Amino acid sequence: MTAVELRLHRWANALLADAPAGGARAKLVEFLVFGAKQAWACVFGAAMLAILVVARLWYPDDAALARNDALVLAAVAIQIVMVVAKLETGRELLVIVMFHVVDTVMEIFKTNVGSWEYPGDGVLHIGAVPLYTGFMYAAVGSYLVRVYRLFDLTFVRYPPRWATAIVAVLVYVNFFSHHYTLDIRWLLVAAVIALYARTVMHFRVFRGVHRMPILVAFVGVAFFIWVAENIGTASGAWLYPGQVDDWHVVPLSKLVAWFLLMIISVVMVAWVYKPVEPRARR
């Protein structure tokens, strides 16, 4: 944990020292702690969504600084605060930089082929891609690495990392190649299911250690990314072609893309935080 999180952890443990060890109240405490940890893990992404919404609602159209450039500066400021205030570890920063690179390359390609677009002007961009976009994808990486340590994650029957890396590379390539050749996303979904079908994630909330099939966690995170995507498009941060004239909810079919993008994210994090068996943490 970071120094700030360690202090929060000690404070929370002292506050909950008299919490019951069993019964309905114990389950309620466990649930509330789970929610608090999830909220803390989402702090980077929540801050990014907040500035997107604020910029949409209140940023003046005639401001000297373009809205997209203001979003870039705000995103950089959030990142600086996270590091200076010791809300983020060095490993997390490394993962975020990796996510920036992976995302920016894909964003440049996707905007060029018309998959989506970023309205507005500005100078802080590469091609048609404002530089704040890297922070949006990095928010996913930030969440994953924070969850890893906040919940003390361990894994039973985690697949070989080399195998997951091969699938992740194929997923990434398919995001580009399906515009020109056969789209193999469903084969990739099947490969992911085959790889992770037997993997069980163990996570500690407060007193108890809980278990969950990792595929369930993947689908859950993909769903919440889809929700965040709807907030992002509603704020006008980016738009799909069908939303330019009339915004509507992003189709649920996008969950497949987010599920596969999640795999790239998980594999990248797994190379920074090596997955370990529960017995390795005893």
Side-chain angles (χ1 to χ4, degrees), residues 164-194:
T164 64
I166 290 174
V167 171
V169 169
L170 291 175
V171 168
Y172 190 66
V173 170
N174 190 65
F175 277 119
F176 298 84
S177 64
H178 83 267
H179 291 278
Y180 309 106
T181 61
L182 182 66
D183 186 354
I184 61 169
R185 70 180 62 192
W186 289 109
L187 289 175
L188 293 169
V189 168
V192 170
I193 293 173

Side-chain angles (χ1 to χ4, degrees), residues 53-223:
V53 172
V54 168
R56 171 69 173 181
L57 295 176
W58 292 295
Y59 198 80
D61 294 333
D62 58 351
L65 181 66
R67 187 182 74 140
N68 284 350
D69 290 344
L71 286 171
V72 175
L73 297 178
V76 172
I78 291 171
Q79 184 67 80
I80 292 173
V81 169
M82 292 285 290
V83 174
V84 172
K86 296 183 179 179
L87 302 179
E88 205 167 68
T89 67
R91 278 187 174 184
E92 287 171 22
L93 188 58
L94 172 62
V95 170
I96 285 172
V97 171
M98 292 165 57
F99 274 67
H100 271 281
V101 174
V102 169
D103 173 65
T104 301
V105 172
M106 187 170 66
E107 288 280 350
I108 292 171
F109 175 82
K110 288 291 190 178
T111 52
N112 281 338
V113 298
S115 295
W116 55 76
E117 64 181 65
Y118 292 93
D121 301 319
V123 297
L124 300 177
H125 58 85
I126 299 176
V129 182
L131 294 181
Y132 69 80
T133 62
F135 290 93
M136 294 190 299
Y137 188 43
V140 177
S142 174
Y143 168 79
L144 290 175
V145 292
R146 292 166 75 82
V147 160
Y148 194 100
R149 56 187 175 76
L150 290 174
F151 288 91
D152 194 23
L153 297 188
T154 54
F155 305 89
V156 176
R157 296 182 296 274
Y158 195 89
R161 286 192 296 171
W162 63 265
T164 64
I166 290 174
V167 171
V169 169
L170 291 175
V171 168
Y172 190 66
V173 170
N174 190 65
F175 277 119
F176 298 84
S177 64
H178 83 267
H179 291 278
Y180 309 106
T181 61
L182 182 66
D183 186 354
I184 61 169
R185 70 180 62 192
W186 289 109
L187 289 175
L188 293 169
V189 168
V192 170
I193 293 173
L195 268 179
Y196 290 97
R198 298 174 64 246
T199 305
V200 178
M201 181 175 69
H202 290 217
F203 59 99
R204 182 182 299 279
V205 178
F206 175 43
R207 286 178 175 153
V209 175
H210 307 268
R211 297 166 180 81
M212 177 188 296
I214 198 169
L215 288 173
V216 174
F218 289 169
V219 172
V221 174
F223 173 77

